Amino acid sequence: MTLNYFPPAGTDYLRLWTDAVIELAGGQETIEADGWFCVTRSNPERQNPNAIVTQIIQMHLPGRSEHLGDFVFSLNPQIPTMGEETTFAVNKFDSRFKGYFNVYFQLELLDQGKTLINKEPVVIEGVFGALPPIGAIGEMAPGDRVGMYDKDNPDSEPVMYMLATRKIVGQYVTGDYAARKEDFLAVKEQAAEFARTGRIGSIAEV
């Protein structure tokens, strides 16, 4: 019998901090954002018991940049942000799992009234000891360079590039559940449907 160490399918609201190196016409800047995200996970498939499907279904990461002004990272509602977690080193607590997400952002530039999107995924990978991966770090691979385009004019040249990003997962969100109670209940229902049916499309519109 295979031991996979996966918890049952479910949904978690977690704190998330990120920094990112961006490239603009005027040079490079490292920006920081701090907020929360919601991730749902499936049960392992019978055919592949050492892997689960994951999806980030909500994200809210506000911050401020010298060049961009106030901004918020959220998810592009048109393209789901999917990932996978697999067992890696089952006997090591700090490196039991490895995983990735293909992340499709919306970067709302609040002072400029503009929203940027990436047409190619920002691939975030990491190795961690438990699920949910509290305290884990996920990063872009060195050398990656992903264009961010004006959402209203996606065929134009990129407004900027993302060169690196590091994401650190924090503890469970507790203090602001009440403000998002309706969203949380909807996500729980859709995550339960996903765990039961395996249909990704049913939760991509959250």
Side-chain angles (χ1 to χ4, degrees):
M1 177 176 163
T2 301
L3 295 176
N4 54 46
Y5 294 92
F6 291 123
T11 302
D12 298 296
Y13 275 104
L14 300 166
R15 305 301 304 182
L16 185 65
W17 174 90
T18 185
D19 64 358
V21 179
I22 59 173
E23 178 186 296
L24 304 114
Q28 294 184 6
E29 181 186 359
T30 298
I31 60 176
E32 296 185 15
D34 189 7
W36 56 270
F37 77 124
C38 180
V39 61
T40 188
R41 61 183 179 272
S42 71
N43 287 311
E45 295 182 359
R46 182 171 299 178
Q47 298 86 345
N48 187 9
N50 291 314
I52 60 173
V53 175
T54 53
Q55 182 177 9
I56 302 176
I57 51 179
Q58 291 180 306
M59 183 170 64
H60 183 75
L61 296 172
R64 179 161 182 81
S65 157
E66 178 183 348
H67 292 93
L68 303 177
D70 289 329
F71 64 83
V72 176
F73 276 112
S74 58
L75 296 180
N76 185 338
Q78 304 302 316
I79 310 176
T81 286
M82 305 302 303
E84 184 181 77
E85 314 292 352
T86 59
T87 50
F88 180 53
V90 295
N91 296 319
K92 294 185 178 180
F93 178 77
D94 60 346
S95 58
R96 184 170 292 170
F97 303 103
K98 61 180 177 181
Y100 71 89
F101 279 104
N102 291 326
V103 185
Y104 289 92
F105 290 114
Q106 282 194 160
L107 177 57
E108 299 174 68
L109 306 180
L110 303 179
D111 295 344
Q112 301 181 34
K114 182 183 293 186
T115 298
L116 307 184
I117 58 171
N118 54 307
K119 296 191 286 187
E120 298 296 325
V122 173
V123 181
I124 307 294
E125 300 178 293
V127 175
F128 43 93
L131 286 174
I134 292 171
I137 299 174
E139 299 180 277
M140 289 175 64
D144 281 2
R145 186 171 184 260
V146 178
M148 300 292 294
Y149 299 82
D150 186 341
K151 186 176 182 179
D152 293 332
N153 192 13
D155 294 327
S156 62
E157 292 297 312
V159 176
M160 69 176 209
Y161 291 90
M162 185 170 292
L163 305 182
T165 185
R166 176 179 50 156
K167 299 187 179 302
I168 300 178
V169 179
Q171 300 290 329
Y172 282 97
V173 175
T174 55
D176 54 350
Y177 267 129
R180 301 196 318 279
K181 183 176 180 181
E182 292 182 4
D183 288 343
F184 178 63
L185 292 176
V187 166
K188 284 183 66 178
E189 291 174 2
Q190 291 167 338
E193 180 183 352
F194 174 60
R196 185 173 62 254
T197 66
R199 288 183 296 176
I200 293 170
S202 62
I203 58 175
E205 299 175 356
V206 174

